[in-house]
Amino acid sequence: MKKLLVTGGCGFIGSNFIHHLISTGNYEVINLDALTYAGNLENLADLEDNSGYSFVRGRIEDEELVSAIMKKVDAVVHFAAESHVDRSIHDASPFITTNVMGTQVLLDCFRRADRPEKFIHISTDEVYGSLGPDEPPFREEDPLRPNSPYAASKASSDLLVRASWKTYGTPVIITRCSNNYGPYQFPEKLIPLMSINVMEGRKLPLYGDGQNVRDWIHVSDHCEAIMQVLERGKPGEIYNLGGNCEMSNLQVIRTILGFLGSSESLIEYVDDRLGHDRRYAMDISKVGNCLGWSPSISFEQGIQDTIRWYEANRPWWERILSGAYKGYYLQHYGEQI
Ligand code: NAD
Ligand code: DAU
């Protein structure tokens, strides 16, 4: 049985990944998470009594804590990050602390610990910048041209990961994935925000002309890709991941409205995001050729399942909107966040 350190496991993708890992029966997991606004212990409430799972509340920048954990694990999957572009435009500093400095602390502790065999750094397509309508999808060797403070902080962390490989031979792998959607996504991001707003009859704030394009992947497909990279990926490599599913924001919102049977009059065009990237698209041929992975969930199916999940799990998001989700830690661990 391998023991993994998963950072940021109380967030959207991290919690889906931990569920995925535990369901294989092949891994034990230590989840290190600071429980920022985006971290929700309720995402993993079903694993609380699972002997293969343990939770440590702490920050990845805490060198003493990270060093102690690193001695106990065989590999690291690093999700922890400040992840929302709009927040980074408002204030970049937490993004530098966590995404840049925190990643360096993890790399240093990993290297000194000797025991762990692989460090998987979860990065994003946003490090490549923005594409014009006719440009080919991003490839792994493309230059990094991040445009938002969030993307710049992720690109910086990618460079630190690369430097650790080049300088010390640390067995690192970088994955860069496109926009995820699915259960447990914090309702500040496009798909959960718009789905909940439709259910509540609230307006849908669409930035700019609504024609910005994202490549959507269901979070389960992303988690399966990370499993393949963890088990068979080659140290020193970068793998692009994506859903082969480019859609404009307007198309996504129309799909949600159509599924929930609501009117387009809910759409409200609002001021554009500053520096708003126009289009992302990923060339995922490398991971297909090297590891045999490709996405399997169609957007049509994935979005229906996702909207049904948000309909069926109303208490989950209502507790986020009211702030009650923060009380879970106090109830179970006796401390205030
Ligand atoms: P999220 O915001 O939902 O979760 C982030 C988690 O990290 C939270 O649980 C939070 O408490 C934790 N965290 C934040 N700062 C921390 C710190 N200093 N120490 C310890 N824990 C900390 O994010 P997500 O959407 O699940 O994204 C996870 C990772 O995947 C990020 O690295 C992100 O850049 C990357 N990514 C996300 C997407 C996407 O579409 N969501 C796509 C590609 C890559
Ligand atoms: O591409 C991968 C990235 O996807 C990840 O690295 C990020 O962590 C993740 O947050 C996501 O970034 P985006 O900025 O693409 O996602 P977001 O859900 O914030 O926005 C998606 C698109 O929808 C974007 O073009 C902005 C637009 N949008 C978003 C919100 C929240 C709106 O039009 N209105 C909104 O209210």
Side-chain angles (χ1 to χ4, degrees), residues 56-68:
V56 178
R57 183 176 169 222
R59 300 193 62 91
I60 56 170
E61 312 90 270
D62 182 340
E63 199 163 338
E64 206 180 316
L65 175 65
V66 172
S67 292

Side-chain angles (χ1 to χ4, degrees), residues 3 5 13 24 31 40 53 98 115 146 163 165 177 179 197 224 246 250:
K3 197 171 229 183
L5 167 59
I13 307 174
T24 66
N31 170 17
N40 187 351
Y53 169 77
T98 292
R115 172 174 161 184
W165 161 249
C177 191
N179 284 63
N197 280 8
E224 181 51 34
E246 287 186 55
L250 182 59

